[in-house]
Structure formats: C-alpha cells, structure tokens
C-alpha cells in the first residue's frame, strides 16, 4: 500500500519515501508519495527520485495493484533497491498547472450546468464534454462568468461522504460516463466556496488549488461538436 500524501496536502513538492517494491515493467513503489497517479482525467505526475549521488527521472505515475502507486522511470536506468530511502522531487510547475486547470474545470461545470460526458486535464489547457444539443449562444458571456467566479477568490476544500450517502444523493455526481469509485466505504468530495458562497460540490480524487484566484485568468478555446448531443468545451490558461 502507498500512502497518497498528495491527498493530504497537494502543495508538497519534496519529501522522503522508502522503496517497498518494483513492478515487472520497471516501476518503483514507495511507502508514501506526493506523485499523483493518472486518473479522473488528470495526468500522472512527473519528477525525480534522488538517493545518494544517484537520480532517476520519473516520466509519469500510475495506479498499481490494490492501493499501490507506481512511479514510472523516463528511461531504463539503475533502480533504488527495496528498503532504500529516497527523496521525491515533484515537477511542481507541471503539477501546479494541472491543479489550476482541474479547479477551473469544476467551475466550468458551474457556468455550464449540464451533465458532463467526459473530460481531460493538461498543463496548458483542459476540456469538458457536455450533453449539449446546440452550441452556446454567447461564448464570451460564459468566459466572463467563469473568470468572475475565479476572481471571487473562493476557498477550495475537501470532505468525505459515505458510499451510502453518495448513492442516496446522486445529484452531486456531474459525470455521466464514470461513477465515482465506491467500495472503500467513503468517497472524497471537493467543495468550492463555503456556506452561502458555495458554488460547487462534487466527487473528485484529483489535486486542486487552495483558492480560485490561484487559477488565474482563463480563456475559452474551441467549442466542438462531438456527436448529436455532445459538445466539447476547451479552456486555456491565459
């Protein structure tokens, strides 16, 4: 099992870890990690492992067996042995951009309150697919509304809900294509805003900024037709 430190604090950039195993494909498993594994439309983190005078570039991170998280080397290289204490160093610029895009996409689902059929997060841009039969009448108005939410400097927090409570209130699930994973007894919720200022609450396992103002200004890219009842909306870090 790998302890997901990114879930406790998305702003950790360097931390120690102990190698607990290797995968047949050449991945490294640690007892705890700040590297987020690919999932929920968010790419796996990249960075570096350092032990002694040796370093290993990490290209991406994926989910392994059970609760293991696997760090995938960028190229074949000497691996730290099991039991080795290593320093994990995150590619913070890339991760922070993922966090900004991810939080912006949650706000996009507020500005466009339609069921979400898919999504993807990148370091420069992201997109959501909506069950939308016709393109928006005023794209600029949507962009302005999104940036107005960002500028409100709303706090972003997380909470947990039981599997039973989630099933009893399916309205908080915005994604049509993928249901949040259940079976662990609880599901993580990401909340934007507090009390009367709350604007969004939905299940999510990804990393987010602490306040919406950290996102910065967003501009809309293309709005593309992806089927009779589907539109893809792309946003870009401006």
């Amino acid at each position: 099992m790998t302890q997901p430190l990114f879930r406790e604090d998305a702003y950790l950039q360097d931390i120690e870890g102990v190698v607990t195993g290797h995968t047949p494909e050449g991945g490294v498993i640690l007892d705890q990690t700040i590297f987020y594994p690919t999932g929920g439309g968010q790419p796996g983190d990249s960075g570096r492992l350092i032990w002694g005078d040796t370093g290993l570039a990490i290209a991406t991170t994926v989910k392994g067996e059970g609760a293991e998280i696997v760090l995938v080397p960028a190229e074949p290289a000497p691996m730290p042995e099991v039991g080795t204490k290593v320093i994990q160093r995150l590619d913070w610029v890339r991760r922070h951009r993922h966090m900004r895009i991810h939080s912006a996409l949650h706000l996009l689902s507020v500005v466009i309150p339609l069921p979400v059929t898919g999504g993807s997060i990148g370091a420069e841009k992201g997109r959501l697919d909506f069950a939308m039969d016709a393109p928006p009448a005023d794209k600029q108005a949507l962009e302005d509304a999104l940036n107005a939410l960002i500028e409100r400097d709303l706090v972003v927090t997380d909470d947990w809900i039981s599997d039973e409570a989630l099933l009893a209130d399916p309205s908080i699930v915005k994604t049509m294509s993928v249901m949040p994973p259940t079976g662990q007894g609880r599901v993580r919720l990401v909340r934007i805003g507090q009390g009367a200022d709350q604007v969004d609450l939905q299940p999510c396992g990804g990393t987010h900024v602490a306040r919406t103002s950290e996102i910065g200004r967003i501009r809309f890219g293309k709005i593309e037709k992806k089927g009779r009842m589907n539109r893809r909306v792309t946003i870009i870090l401006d």
Side-chain angles (χ1 to χ4, degrees):
M1 176 180 177
T2 307
Q3 184 181 359
L5 299 179
F6 55 83
R7 193 156 289 150
E8 301 168 16
D9 184 354
Y11 287 83
L12 291 172
Q13 301 177 41
D14 297 84
I15 204 162
E16 290 186 340
V18 176
V19 179
T20 59
H22 302 135
T23 67
E25 298 79 18
V28 181
I29 304 168
L30 303 177
D31 63 333
Q32 59 179 12
T33 189
I34 54 177
F35 285 70
Y36 177 83
T38 302
Q42 181 172 330
D45 283 329
S46 56
R48 194 166 183 83
L49 295 182
I50 301 168
W51 66 103
D53 296 327
T54 307
L56 180 66
I58 300 300
T60 189
T61 307
V62 298
K63 295 175 182 177
E65 297 279 337
E68 292 176 345
I69 295 173
V70 180
L71 280 61
V72 181
E75 57 186 21
M79 305 269 282
E81 296 181 358
V82 172
T84 301
K85 184 178 291 186
V86 299
I87 297 293
Q88 307 171 56
R89 186 157 295 159
L90 200 62
D91 181 345
W92 174 246
V93 172
R94 178 172 178 265
R95 152 69 90 74
H96 190 238
R97 284 177 169 270
H98 290 163
M99 291 163 61
R100 292 165 64 195
I101 287 288
H102 200 159
S103 298
L105 289 176
H106 277 223
L107 292 178
L108 179 64
S109 72
V110 175
V111 171
I112 304 177
L114 295 173
V116 175
T117 59
S120 179
I121 297 160
E124 305 294 336
K125 61 184 179 180
R127 54 93 173 167
L128 287 181
D129 297 346
F130 293 95
M132 184 189 302
D133 59 356
D138 192 338
K139 177 180 168 182
Q140 187 60 52
L142 293 175
E143 181 178 310
D144 292 344
L146 177 58
N147 281 300
L149 280 176
I150 290 169
E151 291 166 4
R152 284 173 62 182
D153 192 29
L154 299 166
V155 66
V156 182
T157 58
D158 62 5
D159 201 351
W160 294 86
I161 189 172
S162 68
D163 289 354
E164 293 77 12
L166 176 67
L167 294 173
D169 185 13
S171 64
I172 63 175
V173 180
K174 296 187 176 183
T175 306
M176 296 173 62
S177 56
V178 180
M179 277 292 292
T182 56
Q184 303 297 315
R186 62 178 191 164
V187 174
R188 178 175 178 254
L189 300 178
V190 170
R191 184 189 313 271
I192 301 181
Q194 293 284 343
D197 286 333
Q198 180 177 309
V199 298
D200 190 51
L201 177 67
Q202 59 179 293
C204 180
T207 56
H208 290 268
V209 296
R211 306 190 71 93
T212 59
S213 59
E214 200 174 325
I215 296 168
R217 188 157 186 84
I218 292 291
R219 60 185 171 87
F220 272 40
K222 294 180 179 179
I223 297 181
E224 304 172 272
K225 184 176 182 179
K226 294 292 181 178
R228 186 174 63 85
M229 292 288 293
N230 206 53
R231 292 291 188 285
R232 175 166 296 172
V233 181
T234 298
I235 58 172
I236 302 165
L237 292 178
D238 195 354

